[in-house]
Amino acid sequence: MDVSMTLWVLTILGLGALIAVDFFIGRKPHDVSIKEAGIWTVVWIVLAALFGFGLLFAGESQASGEFFAGFITEKSLSVDNLFVFVLIMAKFAVPSHLQQRVLLIGVLIALVLRAIFIAAGAAIIASFSWVFYIFGAFLIYTAWKLIQEARSDDEEEEFEENRLLKSIEHRFGVADKYHGTKLFIRNNGKRVLTPLMVVMLAIGTTDVLFALDSIPAIFGLTQDPYIVFTANAFALMGLRQLYFLIGGLLRKLVHLSYGLSVILGFIGVKLVLHALHESGVHVPEISIPVSLAVICGVLVITTITSLIASKKQAEREAADAAGKDSVEV
């Protein structure tokens, strides 16, 4: 897709306007209701769909298919990120009325950092086509790791601060309690961070770790930096509302890691086949429609099997509880 500088500027300004509207709506700290989260989740998905269909109506059918495949992949990987966001919120004991502000700024930081990753990835791919082998192998390895983690019996998870976050806390110091929406305060004449600022940085910088697999994954679906960026932007910008909407549902998606591992492994194979094709080896390449069908199919099956497994687990727990009550009587 031939993207002019004017289109890039207009797209960034448009996304910036949407972020500004989102910030304006959530400028007052409050507890986000299910209704509010549901409405805005639908709004962001509709906006992403309108953008994708806009590409189609503009005669860019290939770009449209790549956008939808990339958006769905990034959105599904972002849902997995929410597990970690829940751990971060618990680690820092973030008051419920401040969580929407934390996610808004944290996701904005993540978007800026991902834009840097995307620019670097596009430059590397343009210069070295063999990097597809590395991306493909990395995704297949990541898929295997996800399966291993999903099969692990260790359910006790706790968020560990990364080195960058620890160094920032050590350099500036952190207040001992939250001070509303303030990010810095004066403590004994010294300017220190508030816990709110620290948790925002935790959300933003932790997302970089997720970008290590999501960015290669979307480059496996499209090598167009414009599509990669917009798919990531739309996937991330609705993440805040999705957090409040499906927070309780996350624990029921017990097979999500398996589904994501299949998707990442599939894209990894697709990347390797593409690399071989670029090297002159006659191998079949996986088309975008096939990729889109596989990604959607895996997510649907994963969601159904997760809900069935969660229901059975709940029934077993209820039966065990009833058995214990009868024994006590």
Side-chain angles (χ1 to χ4, degrees):
M1 181 177 174
D2 186 18
V3 182
S4 65
M5 182 57 67
T6 301
L7 182 57
W8 267 109
V9 172
L10 290 175
T11 301
I12 292 173
L13 289 176
L15 292 173
L18 291 174
I19 292 172
V21 170
D22 197 17
F23 183 83
F24 178 78
I25 292 171
R27 70 190 186 282
K28 185 179 180 180
H30 64 283
D31 292 324
V32 179
S33 66
I34 296 296
K35 180 180 178 180
E36 178 186 347
I39 290 173
W40 284 103
T41 296
V42 172
V43 167
W44 283 114
I45 292 175
V46 169
L47 288 173
L50 289 174
F51 180 83
F53 285 121
L55 293 174
L56 180 63
F57 294 141
E60 297 289 347
S61 58
Q62 176 75 11
S64 177
E66 290 175 352
F67 171 79
F68 281 117
F71 171 73
I72 293 171
T73 299
E74 293 299 315
K75 198 71 173 177
S76 59
L77 289 170
S78 295
V79 170
D80 197 38
N81 297 7
L82 295 182
F83 285 104
V84 179
F85 289 176
V86 169
L87 295 177
I88 293 175
M89 294 293 190
K91 168 79 174 182
F92 292 96
V94 181
S96 60
H97 68 283
L98 292 178
Q99 290 184 6
Q100 52 87 25
R101 178 64 62 87
V102 168
L103 290 169
L104 178 63
I105 304 300
V107 167
L108 184 58
I109 294 172
L111 183 58
V112 172
L113 294 176
R114 286 202 182 200
I116 297 172
F117 268 61
I118 291 167
I124 293 172
I125 288 172
S127 302
F128 310 102
S129 60
W130 49 261
V131 79
F132 285 116
Y133 289 109
I134 298 176
F135 279 2
F138 179 73
L139 289 179
I140 294 171
Y141 170 72
T142 303
W144 173 249
K145 278 188 63 180
L146 273 176
I147 293 176
Q148 294 296 96
E149 291 172 4
R151 296 178 63 184
S152 174
D153 293 329
D154 184 15
E155 297 182 355
E156 295 297 323
E157 296 180 274
E158 185 176 349
F159 171 73
E160 292 292 336
E161 298 178 24
N162 55 55
R163 291 184 180 180
L164 174 61
L165 198 58
K166 289 180 178 179
S167 65
I168 292 174
E169 291 178 13
H170 179 73
R171 170 68 178 79
F172 294 97
V174 182
D176 58 356
K177 64 179 181 179
Y178 287 89
H179 293 265
T181 58
K182 292 182 179 179
L183 304 181
F184 297 91
I185 63 166
R186 289 283 178 181
N187 186 13
N188 295 326
K190 180 183 177 182
R191 197 183 191 198
V192 299
L193 304 174
T194 65
L196 186 67
M197 182 63 173
V198 175
V199 72
M200 285 178 179
L201 292 173
I203 293 286
T205 55
T206 299
D207 185 80
V208 174
L209 299 178
F210 292 105
L212 293 177
D213 55 43
S214 66
I215 297 302
I218 194 170
F219 270 116
L221 298 168
T222 175
Q223 286 80 60
D224 189 330
Y226 182 75
I227 301 301
V228 173
F229 174 73
T230 51
N232 267 273
F234 278 107
L236 282 177
M237 287 194 298
L239 195 58
R240 177 170 68 95
Q241 290 82 1
L242 198 61
Y243 172 87
F244 296 104
L245 181 64
I246 67 172
L249 183 62
L250 284 175
R251 295 298 175 187
K252 295 184 179 181
L253 299 177
V254 294
H255 295 161
L256 179 63
S257 293
Y258 291 107
L260 294 179
S261 68
V262 172
I263 291 173
L264 290 178
F266 169 77
I267 298 175
V269 172
K270 184 178 185 297
L271 274 171
V272 172
L273 290 175
H274 178 75
L276 290 170
H277 183 79
E278 291 291 310
S279 301
V281 180
H282 295 290
V283 293
E285 283 206 270
I286 302 172
S287 66
I288 287 298
V290 171
S291 299
L292 192 55
V294 170
I295 292 167
C296 292
V298 169
L299 290 176
V300 169
I301 293 172
T302 299
T303 301
I304 293 173
T305 58
S306 292
L307 295 178
I308 292 174
S310 296
K311 183 179 179 180
K312 289 182 177 179
Q313 178 64 28
E315 290 173 350
R316 283 195 297 268
E317 291 176 355
D320 291 342
K324 289 180 180 179
D325 291 339
S326 63
V327 170
E328 291 177 358
V329 172

